[in-house]
Amino acid sequence: MSRIGVFVCHCGLNIAKTVRVSEVVEFAANLPEVVIAEEYRFVCSTPGQELIAGDIKKYNLDRIIVAACSPLMHEKTFRKVAEAAGLNQYLVTIVNIREQCSWVTEDEDVATKKAKALINGAVYRARLLAPLVSRFIDVNPEVVVVGGGIAGIQTALEIAAVGRKVYLVERTPTIGGHMAQFDKTFPTLDCSACILTPKMDAVLQNPNIELLTYCEVAEVKGFVGNFDVKIRQKARYVDHAKCNACLACVEKCPGKGESEFDEGLAKRKAIYIPFPQAVPQKPVIDRETCTYFIKGKCRLCEKICEQKAIDYEQADSYIEIKAGAIVAATGYDLMDVKPLAQYGYGRYPAVYHALEIERLFNSAGPTAGKVVMRDGREPQSIAILHCIGSRDKNNYEYCSRVCCMYSLKFAHLLKEKTHGDVYQLYIDMRAGGKGYEEFYSRLLEEDVKFIRGKAATVTHRTKNPEEEGKLIVEVDDTLTGKFARIPVDMVVLAPAMKPRADAKDMARMLNLSTDKYGFFMEKHPKLAPLSTMTDGVFIAGACQSPKDIPDTVSQATGAAAEALTIVSKAKMELEAATAMVNAAACSGCRNCVTVCPYSAPSMNEEKGVSEINEALCKGCGLCAAACPTSAIITRHFTNEQVMAEMEGLMEF
Amino acid sequence: MQNPYLPMPVRVIKVTTEVDTGEIKTFRLAFVNKEDEERFDYLPGQFAELSIYGKGESPIGIASSPTQKGYIEFTVQRAGTVVPGQVTSALHDLEEGAIIGIRGPLGHPWPLEFLEGKNIVVVGGGFAFTTLRSLVNYMIYEENRRRFGKISIIYGARLPGLLCYKDELALWGKRDDLDLCVTVDKGNEAWEGREGFVPAICKDVAPCAENAVAVICGPPIMIKYTLPVFFNLNFSKENILTSLEMRMKCGIGKCGRCNVGSKYICNDGPVFSLAELDALPRDF
Amino acid sequence: MDFEPKILGIACNWCTYTGADLAGTTRLKYPQNIRVVRVMCSSRINPSFIFRAFQLGADGVLVGGCHPGDCHYGTGNMYARRRLAITKKMLEFAGIEPGRFRVEWISASEGNRFAEVVGEFTGQVKGLGPQTKLKIKTD
Amino acid sequence: MLRKIEQGRFGELIEALLARGPLYAPVRDDRGVNFQLIRKASEPTLDFYNTLQSPKLAWFPQSEDLIRYRLAKGETKGEAISGPVAPTVVLGMRPWDVKSLAIMDLLFLGGGKEDPYWLEKRRLTTVIGYGLASEEEPDGADFFRTLNIGAADSDGSDVFLLKKDGDLLLEGITERGKGLLGELTFLKEGTEEDERYLVAAKAGGKDRKTRFFDLDANAAADKLKAVFADNTFWEKEAEGCISCGTCTFVCPTCHCFDIADETLFRDGVRRRFWDACMFTDFTLEASGHNPRPRTFQRLRQKICHKYSFYIEKFGVVSCVGCGRCTRLCPVNIDIFSLVARAVNL
Amino acid sequence: MTAFKDIEERLKEKAKDLLEKGEVECVFAYGRGYDERHPRPYVAKTKEDAENLVFNEYCTFNLARYAVKEPRKKIAVAAKGADSRALVQLIQEGKLKRENLVILGIPAAGMVDAKSGLTLDEKTTGAFANPVVYDVLLGDKLPEAKNSPYEVLGELEGLSGDGRWEFWRKEFARCLRCFACRKACPMCYCDPCFMDQSRPRWADKSPTLDGNTMYHLTRFYHLAGRCVDCGECTRACPVDIPLYLFHKRLAKDCEEMFNQAAGMKLEDKPVLVDFRVEDGDEILL
């Protein structure tokens, strides 16, 4: 037999106006196991709280029921009162007789009847409530940031700035990401390198940042506050501890490979640094193109290296890191446009994609900043095709957001560098963002030919002499309503930004959900855009959705703050109303393991029963309803408690 | 005829928490109706069904002795590990003044005639000491004491905090007409008594089998290791008694649940000598 | 006096229950035959709860959860949808008027929707009359 | 005393019995014949060989309310429901089923404690046994002859019923039976010829062929005790057993029951209802310990209870060879051959 | 179609072979019962045991029910169409490992329930003639039934709601609570079953109509999308409750709503522990 106290609130007239409180109190007082039932004008007021605390002691109550406003309003308040009076907070039951009773009817009888029923339900349930204690776990103070693009760099710097240790994991030999490939950035047209390289350098200099380039995340175990991250260090065949970055080896290397950084428009050595300002400045050997690895002889670099840093025997190695939080900033890939045969990329040398153009503009690029085509000619007319794969039901339905702006940037730079005709073929011009619209208007002044319509095809099939030797872009001009053929020397495609090819694997490792394209899902699109369904794992930048640099950087800063809120605490409270498994009743059907979005349940194979990691459990009860033997007990919402409440609600 | 399925109302007049885990409590019950009290005529070793309407019934050994007038006592352990048993946890929630039901007395008592004139060795472990406590209190009751020979008691628990009836043990300890030996598997700083497992203690107490009967109750593991000790001391199987735990419902040998061999534990037991148990199929 | 049905509501904490509160704070009026049980997520609902509710004498059962995709726990209501769909089919095949059971996705901002749905559903159940099939006979 | 009535007037007999009080009799529905509480005179039938389920439900219903209570503030009072049992007639019980009553009496009225619910119904119920007519062939699963039960034994019945050509013969066995027949004035006197027929039928019933082996109860009891520990034997026998309760529920001599409180809102009843030693949790203790966790142990308990323990305790086999358990076993486990194998091991 | 006798022979042969070679610890098949019409589930552990195996039209048992109790052993199981689906379903649920199973597939038509005398076909249960997964096939493949196994539902579906309730109420009222249905069901491997729980007590422990209804409805639900229509529950029922009708209906619903039938593909996930973003709300109407 429990000793229940019921407190019915008038809430001034909010409740008392429609609910006959004294009648309800009398009803409650006569229920079995109810020791005392009281009413008060404002139970949430200080005297009201004192009334409860007093009665808990006076009648030594072991359950209290407060019939007042919604639990979402004052549950916390009354839980505090109970705790203060030495009663476990989970033994408090709130009955919502305001929002869901007195406020939604004018009929006194109806409201009073309902209030009684609701309280009766609470009494049935309260009897079965059990005290719960929140548990605390230690939090590892360090953070892992995955991805060394501008997003990752920014996040790492922010976290390091408050003195927390950060591991910055980058898959390529250098940090910098796509931004390092850009020449200028819209709309301000300031040089990308000039604003990025100082940050890259800052990363290198920062004692709190451990830079792990040429590394990949191999495995992630554990949970918020206690992640175990396994990192694979790909073999560089150069011992960076010894290397003094003289780069003499690069000089001598006979090997030739296509420069990934220059999008294959230029060559690089087999031992190389991706680009002059790369961080770190120390080279790696690319097995595929290295003469020694191919032919078994050469070893020139080894001979030249005074530091004896070259080590052909080097193998992949693994680094184990413990971290309290993880930020995924893995960025994006540019869509491969070859499959879109109608645009002729790969078939016509004069068709380029956006990143290639960026490199052409760049003074440190393959053409030293001159816009010349693969055949060496300078184009006299250029068409820039928007929305290649974006806003396209057959490919990517979404808008990639940055193409309009960089296409305008391209137009501007092409004008500057070629004096040729520049055509913009766009569906809609999207210039939302600080200074973007202005930039657009400015371009309208620069005699760029804007054609509203999505390019249909790019072909070399000519129809008249003046088309000779040119590429013809066919387009429906939706403004004139005419079908146009535009002969040009050069075609620039603005392909969709898409998730990284291996985004799904990363998602699996971090237990993130992805949208239908493969971008990482945020916990809530509006209110938790940087958090994910996995506590302690945050996302920043284009791995969540296409975005420009300013958005990326602000997200990165936000993600840093999110990560810090976790690692800045030494301990962390866990949800108390979690689920647990009654092993004796578990039939090992694995339903819980299959359905849980947090991977809280797991199968203990030799016992043949499932076990729930309460640190991961959020207490939603999904598993409990999936459990055929009701072996899973969702604390505070047990089958017994819920059904008892139903019984009470249905009695009168 | 009195309906054996209908519980008699009893009032809880005292609740004692026996162990510091709170998992074992002793309930002192007084009959609401005089005639029921007279009808409830029991001896040590018998049990009763405690009934709480809406929850059910639970068979519990009687922990008090008929020599204690005006009330009966039951020591109840909260059953179930993860999911607490309906009845026992309801019992544990009882407060003084509450009214519950009782059916009984049920089963056979310790064979007192057989014990008369003999030296009695009482061996108990943990919570299973309840009906032994009843037996001891019965035997040391002044009018009864001389009917029995030497009384030695060996009682053990895992930890000092898990010993039941601490005050009573203290009183017994002061008496010179019985030898009390209380032990715990593992003591603590406050603990001054003996340390060691019950079987080991039995070994070095080494009660003499001469005209003696050993009455042993405890967890299976304790029984398992204690019996050999007594065999070595030449106690015959006829002279070793114990009480069986079995799931019971009706308590009057009808429902079949406690059937083992030709016996219905609730009705033909729960008290048996080892000799009798040997005659039963090993199915309990 | 005409028939006043007993309706059991089971609402998820994050969306529908909050939506119901909103209906209150905006002082919308709707029939008070419904009595709401709060659970953390619609995926907590075991179909046996529904059967039990009818046995306890509910004339109708209304389940409310977040809109698919907005589940506070990500995918909870996706599973709930399948379970409750089966539940509905079962009731129908057992001969219980399917109109007595309804699942609605009502977000925290849809107070008016909550009021509407409850009003509509209550009317519908009224029309069906007392639920006597699964109800446990108490004499 | 011997009375008779044309089979065509069976309905009148039923009418008369219904007029006296509650009547259980065999009724045929789409699934077969079973004993039911009769409402209309047209319901009962005598055209059956054996009922699917045993008639024990007339004395030991599948579910029986013992106590009614209401959970209240303060004391919760319970009142026993020993509802006034009216004088009842059970008509059409086959000899083996009649025999089962005596076997059940030993348990329900023995052991020094009487079960009031069983006793009350036994005291007030008249049994009309129903002999197997000579032309009716026993079912292949039956083995009542092994239990030394004749197809037309009348002992245990108050009135014994037997078909003869177009007639139904009714023999008064006990005083109560004779009293009943006396009240049924519309019955005709039985003739000498009927007498002879009856005697012959009873004798003939003795050696009616069913499955048979020579069973010495006490020897079997000892043998089974000896075989008890032979796990391999029992594991093999039980390998098909799915541990359901069918055999026990249809058995006329299975008596196990459970007791539970059923509460709705705050009103409840304490109820007893059939339970089965074949169920996994039959012996499961609150501690989680289960002395019979495995299927073979439960099957062994059931067999030995009937063919060993019961004999040792009460001196009789707790089986009448009605063959119901065998007929209805989902996996065709056959107690007859099982026991035969065990005994001849 | 291969004669039952020949299947029996091949069964013996194969079993002997497997046991001799020690490729399996035991073979779950059928053995002689107390007469021809009443065979029994039989476990052959030695090649001598294998001699005792039988197969005839009365060998209706779904042996998956026994296999699931031996998740770790390497075993062989004789499996007819529905039985093999049960095995597949159990593999999906992680209860059995494919690599631990040697499935002795038996294409069988015209199996007969000895008790009712009914043939197993699309009008009753176990219509599936050919095993869906097997290691060896002990007979020639058979043509699958043309008619949908769901046609038999027509009559019941034709009734009004009240009619259907009346039907099921009568049936549930018969229930003895012997639990033969759940004990015979290969998918009801739970021990304890939800019915054995005391907290909460989902249904009256005593056999009341309400308790029976709760038991059966909940069990039906637990088998939704898992039931392979082997019909064991119905054959096992001593009072002949046509449980298969409800199971069939839920199987039909699952196929319609989630287009997936139980136990057909090893890589499937049971429909109720799975979802698709495309699942529409129309299924709730």
Side-chain angles (χ1 to χ4, degrees), chain A residues 519-597:
Chain A
F519 287 114
F520 298 154
M521 283 286 275
E522 57 286 324
K523 187 170 186 177
H524 189 284
K526 320 254 174 323
L527 301 176
L530 307 177
S531 320
T532 66
M533 291 308 288
T534 308
D535 280 12
V537 177
F538 306 98
I539 48 178
C543 62
Q544 181 241 5
S545 72
K547 52 180 64 67
D548 56 23
I549 295 166
D551 287 7
T552 300
V553 171
S554 33
Q555 265 205 346
T557 313
E562 291 263 28
L564 283 168
T565 54
I566 287 180
V567 295
S568 55
K569 297 191 239 81
K571 288 193 174 301
M572 168 164 79
E573 183 172 4
L574 297 178
E575 170 70 62
T578 52
M580 65 183 221
V581 177
N582 171 8
C586 175
S587 67
C589 69
R590 289 174 171 74
N591 282 1
C592 50
V593 182
T594 318
V595 297
C596 180

Side-chain angles (χ1 to χ4, degrees), chain A residues 466-521:
Chain A
E466 60 266 25
E467 289 182 355
E468 277 315 322
K470 301 220 176 249
L471 287 172
I472 319 307
V473 183
E474 298 183 319
V475 57
D476 263 316
D477 186 325
T478 56
L479 292 179
T480 63
K482 292 209 192 61
F483 177 78
R485 291 172 56 88
I486 308 158
V488 292
D489 297 328
M490 187 188 207
V491 172
V492 179
L493 304 177
M497 281 168 84
K498 68 181 239 334
R500 287 283 191 194
D502 59 356
K504 289 247 188 269
D505 307 341
M506 180 57 64
R508 213 169 294 112
M509 258 190 288
L510 295 171
N511 187 30
L512 306 179
S513 37
T514 56
D515 65 17
K516 66 175 172 181
Y517 309 105
F519 287 114
F520 298 154
M521 283 286 275

Side-chain angles (χ1 to χ4, degrees), chain A residues 57-321:
Chain A
K57 297 213 168 53
K58 186 152 147 223
Y59 302 99
N60 109 74
L61 304 174
D62 59 11
R63 304 279 190 282
I64 64 165
I65 293 172
V66 182
C69 51
S70 167
L72 307 180
M73 281 293 285
H74 274 311
E75 187 164 51
K76 288 212 165 41
T77 317
F78 295 115
R79 284 182 164 186
K80 282 206 196 68
V81 175
E83 286 284 346
L87 184 65
N88 181 284
Q89 55 173 328
Y90 287 90
L91 300 176
V92 176
T93 309
I94 308 295
V95 182
N96 185 343
I97 59 168
R98 192 179 74 175
E99 283 82 348
Q100 296 189 22
C101 184
S102 71
W103 274 353
V104 284
T105 179
E106 272 135 7
D107 183 326
E108 263 195 34
D109 301 337
V110 168
T112 309
K113 182 164 186 275
K114 182 172 183 179
K116 287 180 185 170
L118 293 174
I119 287 172
N120 193 47
V123 171
Y124 269 76
R125 182 172 193 265
R127 296 186 295 203
L128 299 168
L129 291 176
L132 302 181
V133 274
S134 345
R135 298 188 299 113
F136 290 81
I137 50 161
D138 295 342
V139 175
N140 184 303
E142 308 183 341
V143 181
V144 170
V145 176
V146 186
I150 181 59
I153 291 172
Q154 180 69 17
T155 313
L157 287 171
E158 295 286 354
I159 295 170
V162 299
R164 291 288 174 183
K165 169 115 185 186
V166 186
Y167 297 88
L168 181 57
V169 184
E170 167 59 39
R171 140 167 49 199
T172 69
T174 177
I175 55 172
H178 282 117
M179 185 174 173
Q181 292 178 285
F182 302 161
D183 180 49
K184 302 244 177 326
T185 58
F186 62 78
T188 48
L189 296 180
D190 42 357
C191 136
S192 189
C194 314
I195 52 176
L196 178 63
T197 39
K199 279 191 177 288
M200 291 164 63
D201 217 52
V203 168
L204 195 63
Q205 302 313 329
N206 194 313
N208 291 329
I209 300 178
E210 185 164 337
L211 185 52
L212 300 170
T213 55
Y214 218 44
C215 285
E216 281 177 342
V217 178
E219 183 180 75
V220 179
K221 288 222 200 78
F223 46 86
V224 57
N226 297 273
F227 290 107
D228 298 305
V229 185
K230 196 168 175 197
I231 306 272
R232 184 162 60 88
Q233 169 70 68
K234 294 182 277 182
R236 297 182 176 114
Y237 309 105
V238 178
D239 181 343
H240 279 205
K242 295 193 186 144
C243 173
N244 64 358
C246 69
L247 301 182
C249 50
V250 179
E251 283 295 311
K252 286 278 169 299
C253 178
K256 286 248 173 295
E258 298 221 317
S259 160
E260 297 80 4
F261 183 76
D262 282 326
E263 294 294 325
L265 295 171
K267 299 272 176 239
R268 58 148 170 82
K269 298 295 188 66
I271 184 166
Y272 70 103
I273 60 170
F275 60 100
Q277 308 92 326
V279 170
Q281 277 286 304
K282 301 177 179 181
V284 299
I285 295 178
D286 165 27
R287 277 187 86 104
E288 309 306 314
T289 50
C290 167
T291 325
Y292 171 68
F293 278 112
I294 298 165
K295 297 211 179 62
K297 51 172 126 49
C298 175
R299 307 183 82 122
L300 266 176
C301 46
E302 191 181 38
K303 293 192 192 68
I304 208 79
C305 182
E306 288 160 357
Q307 300 295 319
K308 300 270 159 286
I310 308 297
D311 170 9
Y312 299 110
E313 303 313 310
Q314 208 179 60
D316 292 6
S317 58
Y318 288 90
I319 311 161
E320 308 259 344
I321 303 175

Side-chain angles (χ1 to χ4, degrees), chain B residues 125-146:
Chain B
F127 157 69
F129 194 61
T130 57
T131 60
L132 295 179
R133 176 213 187 201
S134 168
L135 176 64
V136 172
N137 280 324
Y138 180 86
M139 293 190 297
I140 64 177
Y141 184 64
E142 51 274 64
E143 279 132 63
N144 299 342
R145 184 58 190 93
R146 56 195 138 54

